[in-house]
Amino acid sequence: MQVFDGHNDVLSRLWCAGGDPVLRFARDEGHISAPSARAGGFAGGLFALYSPQSRRAFDFSGFRGGTMPLSNPMEQNAALQSVMAEVGIARRLQAAGLIRLCTDVAGIEAAMAAGDIAAVLHLEGAECIDPELLVLDALHGMGLRSLGPVWSRPTIWGEGVPFGYDRDGDTGPGLTADGRRLIARCAELGIVVDTSHLTMKGFWEIGDMGLPLVATHSNAWDLCPATRNLTAPQLRAIGATGGMAGLNYATVFLSPEGWKTGRATLDDCLRQLEAMIEGAGEDHVGLGSDFDGAPLPQGMSSAADLPALIGAMKRAGFGAALIEKLCHGNWLAFLRRVWGA
């Protein structure tokens, strides 16, 4: 079974690691690499362009059992440097024949049929974009087709949610006037707008603008009441607007035990999928791994272990048609609705 999912951080991991990204990706390291993708049937997804505060991976252990406040704002120039470097990494991986950059569903399907990794560029946090939105148009020309206006820090576009527990995502203000201009321009360009990391108020404001509600890597709040997860009304709205919710494998968002100790299981993934399907509907749920950006549950150490998750779905009674929808069908159908091709 081929898997196309809604979120990974491999480009950021490769940039933070330094050295030759082609050699690193060709080796069996990190959650996603050429060997692990082949072994596990990872066929592609939305590849995040993320700007860390410093050139190192995010440390999830810093907030287990507690709440981490919003990160400090990031300057545009610093964010633009890392984003452009990660675009450069993606282009080098494509030149080496390790991924295929895609801007439409026909391209994704052609890559998957050929056994290539279909990579769609996604911006996680829009700090790199200027108020005039010129960088947005430039990134669209480079292949950007999906965007989350914020990560978990304040920006000129709006505010992200802090990493917290025992409360929902109603943690602060939503979109600014600039943020609404950004979203409107994304709609004009056919860029998917991702609400993961956005406050609940911002989530509903995007819905009010008539866009399909999408959370590329967020889980069900009822099973794990973390600020990053989706309440039942949010899940229903995702289904009602023809959007998508992608299962995040991060242990801290899967279960209360995962939040407290960092340990979770594939059974927690299944319970999350069942809750998300109940809320949004089986046509509006997929996978949003957060590979290379988060700690993984027991039984999954990299993309090579995706068959273990699929096997767990089968044992839990998920039918073949539903598994195919969750693994890639729903994401491709959604992207075709947004992009029109």
Side-chain angles (χ1 to χ4, degrees):
M1 179 66 68
Q2 291 182 299
V3 170
F4 181 95
D5 87 6
H7 188 87
N8 73 70
D9 287 295
V10 66
L11 298 177
S12 175
R13 173 178 68 79
L14 291 170
W15 181 70
C16 288
D20 187 335
V22 172
L23 291 179
R24 285 190 175 279
F25 192 78
R27 294 198 297 257
D28 193 10
E29 61 177 51
H31 295 162
I32 298 177
S33 63
S36 67
R38 284 195 299 269
F42 179 84
L46 304 186
F47 280 52
L49 307 168
Y50 166 67
S51 298
Q53 296 287 129
S54 58
R55 196 168 174 175
R56 62 176 183 267
F58 183 73
D59 182 9
F60 273 84
S61 66
F63 61 88
R64 283 180 193 157
T67 297
M68 178 179 282
L70 288 174
S71 296
N72 293 326
M74 193 167 188
E75 293 184 357
Q76 184 202 349
N77 287 342
L80 186 58
Q81 179 184 18
S82 55
V83 164
M84 293 306 297
E86 290 168 27
V87 172
I89 288 171
R91 294 177 70 88
R92 284 196 185 180
L93 295 179
Q94 175 171 255
L98 295 172
I99 67 172
R100 189 189 299 191
L101 292 170
C102 301
T103 58
D104 55 31
V105 175
I108 294 170
E109 290 175 333
M112 292 173 65
D116 296 333
I117 297 174
V120 176
L121 294 181
H122 165 85
L123 185 62
E124 185 176 25
E127 290 91 343
C128 70
I129 296 176
D130 58 297
E132 294 78 20
L133 308 182
L134 300 175
V135 171
L136 176 64
D137 282 54
L139 288 172
H140 180 264
M142 296 176 193
L144 185 77
R145 291 298 181 272
S146 178
L147 175 151
V150 301
W151 184 70
S152 290
R153 54 193 170 207
T155 72
I156 66 170
W157 317 112
E159 191 165 296
V161 292
F163 293 101
Y165 189 74
D166 250 352
R167 63 176 302 182
D168 59 26
D170 189 14
T171 60
L175 299 172
T176 64
D178 284 332
R180 287 187 286 276
R181 288 195 304 107
L182 172 68
I183 302 309
R185 182 59 179 153
C186 286
E188 290 174 0
L189 293 172
I191 295 175
V192 171
V193 177
D194 178 22
T195 66
S196 289
H197 290 281
L198 189 60
T199 62
M200 184 180 289
K201 185 175 181 183
F203 175 95
W204 292 116
E205 287 173 339
I206 287 176
D208 289 342
M209 293 180 71
L211 275 69
L213 287 162
V214 181
T216 60
H217 57 304
S218 298
N219 296 337
W221 188 89
D222 284 351
L223 294 185
C224 182
T227 51
R228 276 276 287 101
N229 285 341
L230 299 160
T231 63
Q234 286 178 298
L235 284 168
R236 288 195 294 271
I238 284 171
T241 61
M244 280 290 295
L247 171 72
N248 190 328
Y249 306 163
T251 57
V252 292
F253 304 134
L254 287 172
S255 69
E257 176 68 18
W259 177 269
K260 294 171 185 175
T261 68
R263 294 190 297 271
T265 67
L266 293 180
D267 286 341
D268 292 318
C269 292
L270 294 182
R271 282 188 284 269
Q272 282 287 350
L273 281 173
E274 289 167 348
M276 293 164 74
I277 290 168
E278 181 179 357
E282 68 173 52
D283 294 331
H284 304 286
V285 177
L287 304 178
S289 61
D290 216 351
F291 275 146
D292 283 313
L296 301 179
Q298 297 170 24
M300 183 177 291
S301 59
S302 74
D305 296 317
L306 284 169
L309 176 59
I310 295 168
M313 291 183 199
K314 293 176 181 177
R315 291 190 296 274
F318 289 33
L322 176 58
I323 292 173
E324 184 173 359
K325 285 183 180 182
L326 296 173
C327 286
H328 62 260
N330 284 344
W331 272 118
L332 297 191
F334 165 74
L335 294 175
R336 186 174 283 109
R337 289 195 297 273
V338 175
W339 296 340

